[in-house]
Amino acid sequence: MRAADLAAATPQTRDRYVDLLRVASLGTVVLGHWLMAAVTRGDDGRVEVGNLLAVQPGLQVLTWALQVMPVFFYVGGFSHALSYRSLRRRTPDTHVYSAFLRARLQRLLRPTVVFIGVWGAAALVLQLAGDAHGLLDVSLRLVAQPLWFIGIYLAMVAFTPPLLKLHERWRSPRSNGVGTGGGWGVFGVLVAGAVSVDVLRFALGVPYVEFLNFAFVWLAIHQLGFLRADGRLTKPYVLAAAGLAGAALLVAYGPYPLSMVGMPGERISNMAPPTLALLCHGLWLVGAVELLRAPVARRLERPRVWRAVVVANGISMTAFLWHLSAMLGVYGALLALDVPLPEPATGPWWAQVPVRIALAAALTAVLVAAFRSFERPAVKPDRSATEGSPRRSGAYSGPAAALGVTLALLGVLGLSMVGFGGLLEGRTALLIAVHVSAPAAVGMTLVGWLLVERVGVHAPVN
């Protein structure tokens, strides 16, 4: 269907503001990456890619508004809760997990696998030709970095069914004898986990415990989406005020840095692994966007505005995957044409920013036009078409799907760390406690994706 048809067919019950938040959060990340990149060429011709926030530390406070990945995970929790509940009503219990994973991961993994395939092939050709040097060598590492987000989001999807069941159990009234959490019980446990991890990490010096906050912090923010789906975020001003105050106090008096994004060379990062300060930052952002819901939602009733949101939603993941490729392509063209690259954060550098961003946006649009079809969900085969094929037993579909999504998330996380460079040299990166090479990461991603697709496609839906 065309975007105009999809927009016109939107039911009145759809939460249009959530769709806008999804697009706006990814768009803000893309714009932030384009702005923060500081490429320079030394007198010896060596090309380096730096970070504007490292050159101008005073700008790091802007990350308190522009680091909006928590909003995307919050929106994901809302959508996952509605999707799983809908599927649960129409699908046998033995197949619902695998069907849910496939349904939610199609628009995520299919364009990601294509992105990995294109860049992996290009990296292999360049290395065989001996041309992977300078900015190109840096690009082979940098273009894969946004894949960390894909890996974390895969974990959010995988944990949705068990955490949603706990959420529903703990929201039951006392009279049922089930729980008294009022819906906030699981969220409270996850927050307590994040607090405990930081105490063990910073106060007691326990090694490796910090990696647990990849789960506790992001799952806590994701859990807020469940609460929103149940209409329980009734006082967003409290959430915003508590989150902002908590983040400010932790940064002012704790070991946490000011920046809410990772900075090169820093000893402690709020992002990798996530910290309690980042969790408070996420609370403040969720509260803030909920405070804006009513006035913005009224504007989304306008057909032209809503149609633009529908169009953007249909290409957002493709644009996110390729936006760094476009930015580095622009810098590569400027270097090839011997266009002077001013020192970052100087007057000439700022004057050049609008031109670079416009060129990056144009090149991203070209890449989106080339790869956007892979973001459309594949049509599930007709039951009659697969009637003669053996159907995977329901007893094994859930574990097989869980194995598939685990392999996929480990693969994309590993690839985000090691990049596409050194495919033939055995270059590795440390993923928690295991060294992962690019070929191994690509292999895990492909096997995991195929397993989720294979298991989920045979799940019967009424």
Side-chain angles (χ1 to χ4, degrees), residues 207-387:
Y208 301 113
V209 70
E210 63 266 26
F211 293 107
L212 291 175
N213 264 352
F214 277 110
F216 287 133
V217 169
W218 291 126
L219 285 174
I221 294 171
H222 185 259
Q223 201 77 15
L224 288 174
F226 295 175
L227 292 160
R228 177 65 186 83
D230 289 344
R232 294 182 178 271
L233 291 186
T234 56
K235 297 180 180 179
Y237 55 89
V238 174
L239 203 62
L244 188 58
L249 290 172
L250 288 170
V251 169
Y253 299 105
Y256 306 96
L258 174 66
S259 175
M260 291 298 164
V261 300
M263 299 298 301
E266 63 184 356
R267 188 177 63 88
I268 297 173
S269 167
N270 280 322
M271 276 288 295
T275 64
L276 182 59
L278 183 67
L279 175 55
C280 290
H281 171 68
L283 300 184
W284 125 253
L285 283 180
V286 169
V289 297
E290 284 300 323
L291 286 172
L292 296 173
R293 173 179 290 274
V296 175
R298 286 194 293 269
R299 293 181 177 273
L300 292 174
E301 295 298 326
R302 301 175 182 177
R304 184 176 297 180
V305 176
W306 176 237
R307 189 160 56 246
V309 173
V310 171
V311 171
N313 255 309
I315 61 172
S316 58
M317 190 52 59
T318 303
F320 175 79
L321 285 167
W322 291 96
H323 78 279
L324 278 187
S325 304
M327 181 201 73
L328 292 166
V330 168
Y331 271 112
L334 294 176
L335 290 170
L337 295 172
D338 287 327
V339 175
L341 296 179
E343 285 296 314
T346 60
W349 187 89
W350 284 109
Q352 204 181 68
V353 164
V355 177
R356 290 199 304 268
I357 289 180
L359 291 173
L363 185 51
T364 300
V366 172
L367 292 168
V368 166
F371 297 107
R372 63 178 297 181
S373 62
F374 297 101
E375 194 167 344
R376 299 171 188 155
V379 178
K380 184 174 177 178
D382 216 34
R383 200 168 291 177
S384 59
T386 58
E387 210 165 318

Side-chain angles (χ1 to χ4, degrees), residues 351-440:
Q352 204 181 68
V353 164
V355 177
R356 290 199 304 268
I357 289 180
L359 291 173
L363 185 51
T364 300
V366 172
L367 292 168
V368 166
F371 297 107
R372 63 178 297 181
S373 62
F374 297 101
E375 194 167 344
R376 299 171 188 155
V379 178
K380 184 174 177 178
D382 216 34
R383 200 168 291 177
S384 59
T386 58
E387 210 165 318
S389 61
R391 182 166 290 177
R392 190 176 298 272
S393 169
Y396 297 103
S397 65
L403 175 61
V405 74
T406 301
L407 288 173
L409 73 88
L410 290 176
V412 294
L413 284 176
L415 197 55
S416 73
M417 301 180 70
V418 71
F420 292 99
L423 285 176
L424 303 179
E425 300 168 1
R427 184 185 297 173
T428 63
L430 186 64
L431 178 61
I432 303 180
V434 180
H435 286 276
V436 179
S437 66

